[in-house]
Amino acid sequence: MSLCDDTLLCNFPKCRNKLSGFAWVTACSHVFCDQHGSGEFSRSPAICPACSSALSGKLDIVRTELSPSEEYKAMVLAGLRPDIVLDISARALAFWSYQERMYQEYSLSRADTQLKQMEKVLTQQNQSRELELNAMRGEIASLKKVMEEYKRKYSEVSERLMERNRQYQKLQGLYDSLRLRNMVVGAGEVDTVPQPGYQDFNTVARQATPQRSPRSFALGPDRDSRIFSCLEADGTKTFFQFSSPARDKGRPFISNH
């Protein structure tokens, strides 16, 4: 409220509503709405609800109209000397100044109350944020420990993996060398396998060897005939009588009688 504002507020502590219509004015420069004024000043002795002053005089409490008619304005001060009119006006202005000061004090008190409430809320929020910050710091510290543990495990696993890779490379080299050796041995065995229908000289010679050894004999001028006669006596063929299987197949069978 300002001096140029034509609206008063009820001075009842729990009201503070704008006044309109009729109001109750006290000698202690307080004003109340018609509802609270009628209720508070109906009992005796009357006590001001704003300052607790006793209002025992006949004119200590006046119910007045806030928007008087033009006829009332023309007649209320009519016939009074100018000094009385000025005195009445000065007192009326002093009343408005007092209401202005009261309004400022009320506004300051309300602002101070709101400020204290906001400070209290801010303090609670700061405490809550500090608790959350401490909790987050503890969580970060625990996460750092977990990360260090994971790093250590990762280092161990990496070392094991490198060792396994080295072992694998070694085994792979051994496997390749063994496979190459087996391939070479297998190729050699394939080369030495005789073809079907083919016999080499050593095989034929072993087959042509008699099962039992001939008896010992002395070599003489006719030793060649004796050797061949000994072989013939045993029913075996001489070296010059051997032939290849392919050649035998091509000849017809002739029996010697």
Side-chain angles (χ1 to χ4, degrees):
M1 185 181 67
S2 61
L3 292 176
C4 60
D5 191 2
D6 57 353
T7 303
L8 293 172
L9 300 180
C10 178
N11 297 157
F12 194 80
K14 296 181 179 180
C15 184
R16 302 295 180 182
N17 292 325
K18 291 183 178 181
L19 300 179
S20 61
F22 290 90
W24 293 79
V25 181
T26 64
C28 56
S29 300
H30 293 107
V31 62
F32 302 95
C33 63
D34 196 20
Q35 178 183 357
H36 289 97
S38 301
E40 293 294 330
F41 301 135
S42 60
R43 64 177 63 97
S44 181
I47 302 297
C48 178
C51 62
S52 301
S53 299
L55 303 174
S56 58
K58 183 179 179 180
L59 296 177
D60 287 346
I61 302 172
V62 176
R63 185 176 183 268
T64 183
E65 186 178 2
L66 298 177
S67 298
S69 62
E70 294 297 328
E71 292 81 4
Y72 178 81
K73 293 177 183 179
M75 298 302 295
V76 66
L77 296 177
L80 300 177
R81 296 194 306 269
D83 56 340
I84 297 176
V85 173
L86 293 177
D87 185 40
I88 294 173
S89 299
R91 294 187 183 194
L93 292 176
F95 174 82
W96 275 90
S97 298
Y98 179 74
Q99 288 294 318
E100 177 72 19
R101 184 163 57 87
M102 284 188 60
Y103 177 78
Q104 296 297 334
E105 290 177 356
Y106 165 73
S107 299
L108 181 60
S109 176
R110 185 175 61 179
D112 186 60
T113 303
Q114 293 178 355
L115 179 61
K116 289 180 180 180
Q117 292 178 354
M118 293 179 65
E119 288 179 352
K120 184 178 180 180
V121 173
L122 181 61
T123 302
Q124 293 176 353
Q125 291 180 353
N126 289 336
Q127 292 177 353
S128 177
R129 296 295 183 273
E130 189 67 23
L131 293 175
E132 292 178 359
L133 184 60
N134 292 332
M136 293 179 65
R137 287 174 180 173
E139 186 176 357
I140 290 173
S142 62
L143 289 176
K144 285 183 178 179
K145 292 181 180 179
V146 173
M147 185 176 65
E148 293 297 331
E149 183 67 19
Y150 278 134
K151 285 183 178 180
R152 185 183 62 81
K153 291 182 179 180
Y154 174 76
S155 178
E156 294 178 357
V157 172
S158 298
E159 292 178 359
R160 293 179 183 177
L161 180 61
M162 292 176 64
E163 182 65 25
R164 294 293 176 85
N165 287 335
R166 287 193 292 267
Q167 294 178 0
Y168 172 77
Q169 295 296 332
K170 185 184 294 183
L171 293 175
Q172 186 69 29
L174 293 174
Y175 171 76
D176 292 339
S177 63
L178 290 175
R179 185 178 63 176
L180 182 61
R181 184 183 302 174
N182 291 334
M183 291 175 62
V184 172
V185 172
E189 290 179 356
V190 170
D191 293 340
T192 58
V193 172
Q195 299 295 328
Y198 171 78
Q199 292 180 341
D200 57 359
F201 177 76
N202 295 328
T203 304
V204 174
R206 286 194 299 269
Q207 293 177 355
T209 304
Q211 298 298 325
R212 60 184 182 89
S213 300
R215 289 169 297 179
S216 61
F217 50 82
L219 295 177
D222 56 349
R223 58 184 179 273
D224 294 336
S225 61
R226 291 182 180 181
I227 292 172
F228 290 116
S229 63
C230 180
L231 294 174
E232 290 176 356
D234 293 335
T236 59
K237 296 181 180 181
T238 63
F239 175 77
F240 298 99
Q241 291 175 343
F242 285 102
S243 61
S244 63
R247 185 177 181 181
D248 292 337
K249 288 181 180 180
R251 291 181 180 181
F253 177 77
I254 301 174
S255 60
N256 293 326
H257 296 285

